[in-house]
Amino acid sequence: MKALISALALGFIALPAFAQEAGPDQELIKKGEYLARAGDCVACHTAAGGKPFAGGLPMGTPIGTIYSTNITPDKETGIGNYSFEDFDKAVRHGIAKEGHSLYPAMPYPSYARVTEEDMRALYAYFMHGVQPVTQPNQDVAIPWPLSMRWPLAVWRKLFAPEVADFKPAQGMDPVVARGAYLVEGLGHCGACHTPRGIGMQEKALSDADGKDFLAGSAPLEGWVAKSLRNDHKEGIARWDEAQLVEFLKTGRSDDMAVFGGMTQVVEHSLQYMSDEDLTAIVRYLKTLSPVHPDAPPYQRNNAVSEMLVKGDESKRGAAVYIDNCNACHRSDGLGYTRAFPALAGNTVVQTEDPTSLIHIVLEGGKLPGLKSAPSTIVMPAFGWRLSDQQVADVVTFIRTSWGNKGGPVDADAVAKLRNSDNRTTSGDDIGQTAYGNQPEQNPTPR
């Protein structure tokens, strides 16, 4: 009997030890990893060439430079000593463990609607699925008095929503509701694609706040984030659900190719998301009404194509286009499927602000190799060989040919962008380091 009692006692003692050895919930960690990808946390919290989530990425703002923080579970320089409540307060409320306000470079107004359930999964991943890195956080480079943090409490009162789990509108289709949650919450699409107000706040955080939501941004780091609403000239009205899902997953479709900051979003985030979630995102975006409902759909005009075929280069910028662009984008402006995007009817080249098009002509771009689209395709930079006037001429040609309705561009606009020193680096090669699931790639030299 004593032996039996002893064995039972040892069993009771061993049970807690066994439970402790079992470690954290692996399914919860896996879910948190997926959500971290959906939120593209790695993009801001990993400096170019740095270690995953260790911070240090400089982010230019109108008031100065902010550096992203170390969110690895390192106990000295990261968030290793954060309780769940500390983590939740930082992400959804914008308040650090020490009690001071965080700068709104982190899109916590969007994160305010992330559910507590998902927050717990994220916490599990960052605490148990991320390698700790000892890397001290860098101070902000913001001059006094703009560097003071106490006014940010006022900013939150004015512009940040009340923290509450996302609730879909009554009667909303479940797939659309899932898309709304991802777009308005973790995906924080509005951080780039919604215009900003005088307080640098997003003018709308959801479609319920008005048509400013996802209506396109002012230039940011040399690019313009296009409208994601159902407008014909600058939005997504021309593209059907299948095209948009393919674009989000691969960065390309029959007549589109990703560029600029969106390249990193596809590379580090969207390519890892499920087809069901990508479909939900697109289905939600297609519910957003146009800002300009009376704008007509694109109508192709073949006059320029016929002119170029005949060797007529009299139109402004035509000769520059033939010498530098025609081989890939063709005289009809239709490019080549899933490789060189069409310029004819392209909403990016027709935006009111031509910054993106000027930028890509000057500096080129790279279509990254991804899991489901492994080829890396590079557009070379032309800034070294074209003058400001030549760039202005060829951009004007593209914006006014084949039925495009963009306006002309002058050399001063090109010179201003060429000489800009306000851009920051966004690590092109951090996705593979962070998640380790991308295929081996052989990038083409720029």
Side-chain angles (χ1 to χ4, degrees):
M1 177 63 74
K2 287 184 179 179
L4 177 60
I5 293 173
S6 297
L8 289 172
L10 286 171
F12 283 121
I13 292 171
L15 281 175
F18 176 78
Q20 186 174 7
E21 289 173 5
D25 185 337
Q26 294 301 313
E27 284 300 314
L28 193 64
I29 293 172
K30 186 176 179 180
K31 178 181 178 181
E33 180 183 15
Y34 180 85
L35 294 171
R37 283 175 170 162
D40 200 13
C41 305
V42 71
C44 288
H45 287 279
T46 308
K51 294 185 177 180
F53 303 114
L57 182 73
M59 293 175 283
T61 75
I63 62 172
T65 301
I66 297 170
Y67 294 89
S68 61
T69 54
N70 184 342
I71 57 171
T72 73
D74 180 67
K75 292 186 178 295
E76 297 298 323
T77 61
I79 61 171
N81 290 318
Y82 274 47
S83 65
F84 169 74
E85 288 71 25
D86 296 331
F87 180 77
D88 184 68
K89 188 176 289 186
V91 176
R92 294 206 293 177
H93 297 255
I95 301 173
K97 177 181 173 67
E98 297 77 16
H100 62 258
S101 295
L102 298 173
Y103 289 104
M106 190 187 81
Y108 53 76
S110 296
Y111 294 161
R113 63 197 66 213
V114 177
T115 64
E116 182 178 330
E117 179 183 350
D118 282 353
M119 287 298 302
R120 291 191 179 278
L122 283 166
Y123 179 73
Y125 171 63
F126 281 109
M127 287 301 175
H128 303 289
V130 172
Q131 289 295 316
V133 178
T134 301
Q135 178 172 296
N137 293 303
Q138 293 182 258
D139 292 333
V140 298
I142 300 175
W144 189 87
L146 296 175
S147 60
M148 293 191 300
R149 292 182 182 263
W150 68 263
L152 294 175
V154 179
W155 187 94
R156 284 201 310 276
K157 290 286 187 183
L158 291 173
F159 303 124
E162 182 181 351
V163 175
D165 286 9
F166 174 84
K167 295 286 191 264
Q170 188 173 4
M172 181 179 278
D173 177 85
V175 175
V176 174
R178 173 65 176 173
Y181 175 64
L182 292 168
V183 169
E184 298 173 9
L186 272 177
H188 61 277
C189 303
C192 291
H193 291 273
T194 296
R196 300 270 174 168
I198 193 170
M200 292 180 286
Q201 83 284 5
E202 296 167 43
K203 287 187 175 181
L205 294 172
S206 72
D207 192 40
D209 297 333
K211 290 186 178 182
D212 280 328
F213 182 60
L214 302 183
S217 73
L220 179 68
E221 297 183 357
W223 304 102
V224 172
K226 71 183 303 299
S227 171
L228 299 181
R229 301 187 71 89
N230 277 287
D231 283 278
H232 280 286
K233 183 181 176 184
E234 299 187 14
I236 62 172
R238 284 189 64 205
W239 302 326
D240 63 26
E241 183 177 295
Q243 285 178 304
L244 286 166
V245 169
E246 182 183 23
F247 176 76
L248 294 181
K249 186 174 183 177
T250 68
R252 61 202 83 185
S253 70
D254 287 353
D255 60 356
M256 296 181 282
V258 72
F259 67 91
M262 190 67 184
T263 302
Q264 281 75 52
V265 178
V266 174
E267 188 173 9
H268 305 149
S269 175
L270 294 172
Q271 70 159 323
Y272 297 104
M273 296 183 69
S274 68
D275 289 345
E276 291 78 11
D277 276 349
L278 293 178
T279 298
I281 288 171
V282 169
R283 202 163 292 178
Y284 169 64
L285 293 177
K286 294 297 281 184
T287 69
L288 303 180
S289 59
V291 177
H292 305 290
D294 298 329
Y298 168 74
Q299 294 291 325
R300 180 170 175 79
N301 186 315
N302 292 320
V304 169
S305 303
E306 295 169 359
M307 180 188 77
L308 294 181
V309 169
K310 294 175 181 177
D312 182 354
E313 300 177 358
S314 59
K315 183 177 179 179
R316 176 188 172 189
V320 182
Y321 181 86
I322 290 294
D323 290 343
N324 300 278
C325 315
N326 190 70
C328 294
H329 297 285
R330 299 174 22 179
S331 59
D332 57 12
L334 294 178
Y336 291 92
T337 299
R338 297 177 60 81
F340 308 119
L343 301 177
N346 191 316
T347 55
V348 172
V349 308
Q350 300 185 79
T351 55
E352 291 298 322
D353 190 319
T355 295
S356 290
L357 187 55
I358 295 172
H359 190 161
I360 203 166
V361 171
L362 287 174
E363 299 189 4
K366 182 176 75 173
L367 192 59
L370 307 173
K371 291 193 303 178
S372 54
S375 299
T376 299
I377 301 172
V378 174
M379 173 178 163
F382 289 93
W384 66 274
R385 63 181 290 181
L386 298 180
S387 67
D388 292 343
Q389 188 60 59
Q390 287 174 311
V391 173
D393 288 346
V394 75
V395 168
T396 296
F397 176 83
I398 294 168
R399 284 166 58 82
T400 59
S401 297
W402 311 295
N404 290 342
K405 300 297 183 183
V409 175
D410 59 39
D412 288 343
V414 178
K416 182 179 179 181
L417 186 59
R418 189 196 293 267
N419 298 327
S420 172
D421 59 356
N422 293 324
R423 301 175 208 155
T424 59
T425 303
S426 2
D428 284 346
D429 57 355
I430 60 178
Q432 184 172 355
T433 306
Y435 296 119
N437 289 332
Q438 294 197 111
E440 183 174 348
Q441 301 167 13
N442 299 304
T444 305
R446 288 182 183 272

